[in-house]
Amino acid sequence: MERVGIKNLTRSELEKALAGLGAERYRARQIFRWLYIVGVRSFDEMTDIPEDLRRKLKAKFHITHAALLDSRRSSLDSTTKYLLKLEDGNTVEAVLLPEERRNTICLSSQVGCKYCCGFCASSIFGFVRNLKASEILDEAIFIKRERPSAQITNLVFMGIGEPFDNYNNVLKAIKIFNDSAAFNIGARRITVSTCGIIPGIERLKNEGLQVELSVSLHSADDSKRSKLVPVNKIYPLKELMKAARDYTDKTSRIITFEYVMLRDVNSSKDDAGKLARLLKGIKCKVNTISYNRISPTATPFKPMKARDYEAPSEADVKIFIRTLKEEGVNVVHRKSKGADIEAGCGQLKASRLKNA
Ligand code: SF4
């Protein structure tokens, strides 16, 4: 019988499985503590679980873990990026972003990505497969073990992959991250970021979860956005904004729109004006960030024009932000984290594969 990855079970699912093994419900909470708080890699380490139950658990389940392939720590801001190997040899990236009052992990949800956003390294090597919930959890467990002093307070699904393409596994992982017996991270501290997959937005609005939703926007102009975020051809701005409005109406939560500023592409005063008009009446905030250039060594496709973006000048950024503020848009310009370590999604993996 093939053994199941035990981290693919929510606590209530584990309680049911334990009942089938003749064990008490409270054992699930104990097992969760070992898996997610202590981060054990074998049932034998669960010393408060009776030996007989451990034997039964071993026969039915196995405990996955991610192994380190590479890591880079920024000398600028302590951002650390990890390239992790999964049990089948595939690799994913996870990033720890330490700040004064919080420590955020940026998680991948898929191996590779199919959406080919123009400035993102994640889809360079194509889409391979969805991550299981256990593999998503393993990214965070790995970082917890590696950096025990960094109390993890926030999670963002902004690494490799489109979370709504792997909806069920991402949702299951969120439930376990949120579980008081596991990571105990409040739903409001978990952000799901989509490139604009409308069916995912519609599904999430009916879940009754308090998670944050962020949408990668990057342009308020359909033809520009279709180049930067090709899925815009399937889910164009008008429909995306309707989905955003419906989401905020139904959940009473605001949406965050992410906007990567690219020189001579989407960062002019005119672009800011268009953006303000597009977002009128939507309960939202905008996070802008200047493009974090993919290292010239990072991509084997360097000659591709699409990868040759530059960050805008500081003066352009100021005008853009001022224009948005004058139009009443709630906007924050963020600094690129880990600019010296290829911390943008997919960049470390791309760099390593290129240099392999
Ligand atoms: S930005 Fe997100 S959706 Fe777009 S290619 Fe990168 S990982 Fe995929």
Side-chain angles (χ1 to χ4, degrees), residues 110 112-124 158-163 193-196 216 218 228-231 345-346:
Q110 297 180 309
C113 184
K114 59 178 86 144
Y115 288 103
C116 301
C117 298
F119 46 82
C120 173
S122 297
S123 50
I124 283 174
M158 290 187 184
I160 298 174
E162 162 55 52
S193 175
T194 177
C195 62
S216 300
H218 311 318
L228 296 171
V229 187
V231 78
C345 47

Side-chain angles (χ1 to χ4, degrees), residues 13-169:
E13 288 169 341
L14 182 57
E15 283 169 357
K16 272 190 208 133
L18 286 167
L21 298 176
E24 305 88 336
R25 278 178 60 155
Y26 75 89
R27 295 288 181 197
R29 182 172 272 275
Q30 287 178 309
I31 293 168
F32 259 42
R33 188 182 78 80
W34 286 113
L35 292 174
Y36 303 114
I37 299 176
V38 185
V40 298
R41 291 180 177 175
S42 77
F43 290 106
D44 289 331
E45 292 170 76
M46 300 181 176
T47 49
D48 57 1
I49 303 294
E51 213 180 310
D52 178 50
L53 178 55
R54 273 188 263 158
R55 207 170 8 86
K56 288 179 184 166
L57 288 169
K58 265 189 254 178
K60 196 171 167 64
F61 299 109
H62 76 289
I63 302 175
T64 55
H65 70 271
L68 182 66
L69 265 188
D70 198 355
S71 70
R72 308 231 174 124
R73 187 169 180 156
S74 168
S75 55
L76 304 175
D77 54 28
S78 294
T79 295
T80 309
K81 182 161 204 169
Y82 300 92
L83 181 64
L84 302 173
K85 189 171 160 189
L86 307 173
E87 296 205 327
D88 66 355
N90 277 306
T91 56
V92 288
E93 294 177 357
V95 184
L96 174 65
L97 303 118
E99 286 171 289
E100 212 177 308
R101 292 202 185 145
R102 61 186 190 177
N103 293 302
T104 303
I105 296 180
C106 176
L107 295 162
S108 294
S109 55
Q110 297 180 309
V111 179
C113 184
K114 59 178 86 144
Y115 288 103
C116 301
C117 298
F119 46 82
C120 173
S122 297
S123 50
I124 283 174
F125 300 99
F127 171 73
V128 179
R129 67 171 175 86
N130 284 333
L131 292 185
K132 295 177 192 156
S134 55
E135 293 169 321
I136 296 168
L137 292 155
D138 279 337
E139 296 175 49
I141 293 168
F142 177 88
I143 292 177
K144 257 186 102 167
R145 279 176 66 113
E146 187 78 1
R147 298 279 288 275
S149 60
Q151 175 78 25
I152 307 306
T153 58
N154 293 65
L155 297 168
V156 292
F157 282 87
M158 290 187 184
I160 298 174
E162 162 55 52
F164 284 155
D165 245 22
N166 186 15
Y167 192 96
N168 291 339
N169 291 341

Side-chain angles (χ1 to χ4, degrees), residues 5 16 26 46 53 55 61 67 98 143 160 172 188 190 220 245 262 265 277 285 287 295-296 313 331 336 347:
K16 272 190 208 133
Y26 75 89
M46 300 181 176
L53 178 55
R55 207 170 8 86
F61 299 109
I143 292 177
I160 298 174
K172 183 170 269 193
R188 287 171 192 223
I190 300 174
R245 261 192 205 92
L262 307 161
V265 176
R277 286 193 291 282
K285 67 175 178 178
N287 280 342
S295 154
S313 67
V331 56
S336 280
Q347 291 186 20

Side-chain angles (χ1 to χ4, degrees), residues 269 276 280 319-329 331:
K269 192 171 173 14
K280 209 146 217 108
I319 294 169
F320 190 89
I321 301 299
R322 198 191 316 130
T323 307
L324 286 178
K325 285 187 173 164
E326 282 168 2
E327 295 291 335
V329 176
V331 56

